[in-house]
Amino acid sequence: GVPALRQALQQPQRRRSSGFNHFVDSDPGKLEPTVPPPPLLAGATPFRLAVKDNIATDEFPTQCASRILVGHASPFEATIVRQLRARGAEVVGKTNMDEFGMGSHSTNSIHGPVRNPLSANDDEPISAGGSSGGSAVAVMLGDADIALGTDTGGSIRLPASYTGAVGYRPSYGMLSRFGVFPYANSLDTVGLIARGARPILRLLADGELDQEHDPNDPTSLSSATRRRCAAACPPTLGDNSQLTVGIPLEYNIAELDPVIRATWAAAASALESAGATVVPVSLPSTREALCAYYVIAAAEASSNLAKYDGVRYGVRPPESRGDGAGHTLYSETRGVGFGDEVKRRILLGTYSLSSAAIDNYFVQAQRVRRLIRRDFDRVFRLANPLCDGGGDGAQFDLCDMPEHTLLADKRGPPQVDFLLSATTPSFPPRLADVLQRSSLDAYMNDVFTVPASLAGLPAVSLPVPAAETRLPAGLQLVGQFWDDRRLLAMAERLK
Ligand code: GLN
């Protein structure tokens, strides 16, 4: 229509950068849109949006970097894409990723690995982080102003940290996941990557993205709960003298790169000199978070991916002898269609949910998850708005435990507005090394990002120049539930 044309003409086409393998050049290519774009909202300004390939779009196939979804054209578009189109987005392409979001380096992809533009030379590319690596690279190369990613256990924050972008994971249930291919439902979020925090904050606050309930997403918070949560958070950040930032001591692990540790310490001192109060805090269950995450995420993935069996979903291999009776068709489709890491997660998840193992793994991991949530609630100044017994907070079964209500009181430890840590324990490794190492090694990269995921809290990774290296270090800020606007304002102030 005319508005779309006007919008397209306002935005001169720039040539996409190539060689970093961050866009998915798919077959089939661009599709004929099935629905007209939504009307532009008042105040919408045009911007170029890159979309991770596990988020359904009308004009492009959605393949999750998986052989099992080659050529898959979604019959509808994700709510978040529609919401951003109404705010001025023009979708420039789909971005490369780890298959179904499983990975930390964007190497588990049928399109091959994403390369980080910060690599010192072409012969030795370094990891762009994952699983939203393509989205972060699209933003950093200027191919998009903003990119959509998904963050289950760190997949937005990790690539942001490796590429020098700002990556934002929202509070769980804030941004609609309708049209986002599920990996682990109790952890999945869709979030944004940009060069700075300001454009993201603008979409959330001026664009009121955080106020829109989506009836199509059962985990999207109701309008009433949104109002209650918003009322529980201070409307503005205030000046530094009113802010307390916590330094979680358990994040100072032996494996932390000394340069990153020094950058983290320098940022804390700079905050203190700028008038904020900086205090050490303890989150004792942090140590167990990584194990709990990989049990829960794999368990949920094994259940989610069961539908890709070649019957309703999933590309059947042409040579399949599937007779519809089951086994041959399923195993042939899944054997050919899924990559190694996805198969590994399905096997791990199926095992941990089996009757012999469930008590030792899945149930135990859920207990750890509650302890992690409790740790956070004890150190934040604000109460968790889902845990005061009202609204539909009960849908998050994490809050209704007696131990939680008893121990989430505010005595004892210092009360903070935000927590500051490193996003990742090390700088981006060389891709050649990643491909040699075990998957356990990749899991280790998520050690600082999974705790906020398990607790459903908002978190931002922001780039900070580090001494002795040209690579930026990623620092992570975590806030209380629904305190996203202040969190982004704080990230903007720190950068
Ligand atoms: N690296 C983590 C995993 O493989 C996180 C992925 C994500 O957040 N999507 O599960």
Side-chain angles (χ1 to χ4, degrees), residues 73-351:
S74 170
F76 58 85
E77 190 157 69
T79 301
I80 186 72
V81 177
R82 306 292 295 168
Q83 289 170 322
L84 292 179
R85 282 192 198 277
R87 287 160 179 82
E90 180 217 344
V91 178
V92 294
K94 303 298 286 284
T95 58
N96 199 358
M97 55 182 282
D98 285 299
E99 186 176 5
F100 285 105
M102 297 173 194
S104 304
H105 296 289
S106 298
T107 48
N108 305 328
S109 163
I110 48 162
H111 312 288
V114 177
R115 286 180 286 274
N116 190 333
L118 296 176
S119 310
N121 60 61
D122 292 348
D123 304 334
E124 279 204 344
I126 57 173
S127 163
S131 62
S132 316
S135 287
V137 171
V139 161
M140 292 316 289
L141 287 175
D143 291 334
D145 303 307
I146 295 190
L148 275 172
T150 56
D151 189 309
T152 302
S155 275
I156 285 179
R157 292 164 281 163
L158 180 64
S161 145
Y162 279 3
T163 58
V166 169
Y168 159 64
R169 171 197 167 92
S171 293
Y172 182 83
M174 178 181 271
L175 300 183
S176 169
R177 279 172 11 205
F178 180 68
V180 179
F181 286 51
Y183 158 15
N185 301 46
S186 77
L187 296 155
D188 287 346
T189 59
V190 58
L192 299 156
I193 301 176
R195 279 175 168 262
R198 190 190 298 261
I200 302 176
L201 179 58
R202 211 181 291 134
L203 283 170
L204 216 67
D206 304 342
E208 300 184 342
L209 209 51
D210 56 2
Q211 293 182 24
E212 286 190 13
H213 164 66
D214 180 8
N216 287 324
D217 173 0
T219 62
S220 168
L221 256 62
S222 71
S223 301
T225 304
R226 281 169 200 264
R227 279 194 295 276
R228 194 167 54 78
C229 288
C233 297
T236 52
L237 191 56
D239 58 46
N240 282 341
S241 64
Q242 295 163 279
L243 295 175
T244 305
V245 174
I247 305 296
L249 296 178
E250 287 79 5
Y251 285 54
N252 185 17
I253 55 174
E255 295 83 357
L256 181 60
D257 185 294
V259 177
I260 298 183
R261 184 181 291 120
T263 313
W264 177 26
S269 329
L271 259 174
E272 202 162 35
S273 320
T277 308
V278 178
V279 294
V281 295
S282 175
L283 303 167
S285 308
T286 303
R287 258 183 291 271
E288 275 71 53
L290 195 62
C291 302
Y293 169 83
Y294 273 96
V295 170
I296 295 171
E300 294 187 23
S302 71
S303 155
N304 266 320
L305 299 187
K307 64 176 168 283
Y308 300 105
D309 55 15
V311 179
R312 177 74 181 81
Y313 294 107
V315 178
R316 262 182 228 190
E319 67 280 11
S320 168
R321 286 167 289 121
D323 49 10
H327 296 100
T328 333
L329 171 64
Y330 295 177
S331 59
E332 283 179 358
T333 303
R334 294 162 72 79
V336 174
F338 288 137
D340 287 349
E341 186 58 32
V342 172
K343 286 179 187 158
R344 188 173 295 119
R345 304 288 177 102
I346 293 173
L347 290 173
L348 280 174
T350 308
Y351 173 71

Side-chain angles (χ1 to χ4, degrees), residues 1-89:
V2 173
L5 182 65
R6 197 178 311 137
Q7 189 184 323
L9 292 178
Q10 269 172 4
Q11 205 67 51
Q13 292 290 316
R14 270 189 252 164
R15 223 159 55 86
R16 280 183 183 181
S17 337
S18 59
F20 299 99
N21 204 22
H22 51 305
F23 277 111
V24 172
D25 287 318
S26 50
D27 181 23
K30 233 174 158 182
L31 309 168
E32 223 19 78
T34 53
V35 283
L40 285 182
L41 296 174
T45 29
F47 64 94
R48 293 163 307 145
L49 177 72
V51 180
K52 188 178 180 181
D53 203 26
N54 59 350
I55 302 173
T57 43
D58 210 17
E59 299 160 291
F60 298 92
T62 304
Q63 306 175 126
C64 301
S66 183
R67 187 154 287 124
I68 212 154
L69 280 172
V70 163
H72 175 74
S74 170
F76 58 85
E77 190 157 69
T79 301
I80 186 72
V81 177
R82 306 292 295 168
Q83 289 170 322
L84 292 179
R85 282 192 198 277
R87 287 160 179 82

